[in-house]
Amino acid sequence: MMHGRDDDGVDQFTPIYAYCEETIERNYADLRHMLFMFGRGGNEDAIRARSAARLAEKLADFRKQESDYEQAQAAAGITAARQATELIAALRL
């Protein structure tokens, strides 16, 4: 998340760590509110549009990473092992 520029005009960013879509949506909602509060007046529509586009981009990236993670787990046998463990636990009940 960009939080300003340094004295040389270089954008300064802080990474946002999100483990679910709701966290990403909440972070972008907070950012949008800050931009409305501290941004120049009259450009609310531009802020809204830019924020919606970035949010969609980040959610798509998050979904791809989640999919890649699940595929890696399945390829390594982790998914099958987890399912076998759950089946054994269910049979013991």
Side-chain angles (χ1 to χ4, degrees), residues 23-57:
T23 304
I24 297 169
E25 291 168 349
R26 188 172 50 248
N27 282 322
Y28 271 86
D30 291 345
L31 174 62
R32 192 172 42 252
H33 292 301
M34 286 188 285
L35 289 172
F36 284 150
M37 227 185 322
F38 299 110
R40 284 175 247 148
N43 62 350
E44 289 84 6
D45 292 336
I47 291 171
R48 214 175 267 110
R50 190 170 53 246
S51 178
R54 291 284 293 161
L55 175 61
E57 177 185 315

Side-chain angles (χ1 to χ4, degrees), residues 81-93:
R82 186 176 298 125
Q83 290 170 344
T85 302
E86 291 171 358
L87 179 62
I88 292 168
L91 293 173
R92 289 184 182 166
L93 295 177

Side-chain angles (χ1 to χ4, degrees), residues 59-72:
L59 288 174
D61 182 48
F62 179 78
R63 290 176 187 133
K64 173 150 181 12
Q65 289 182 35
E66 285 288 305
S67 174
D68 292 347
Y69 175 71
E70 290 170 5
Q71 289 175 4

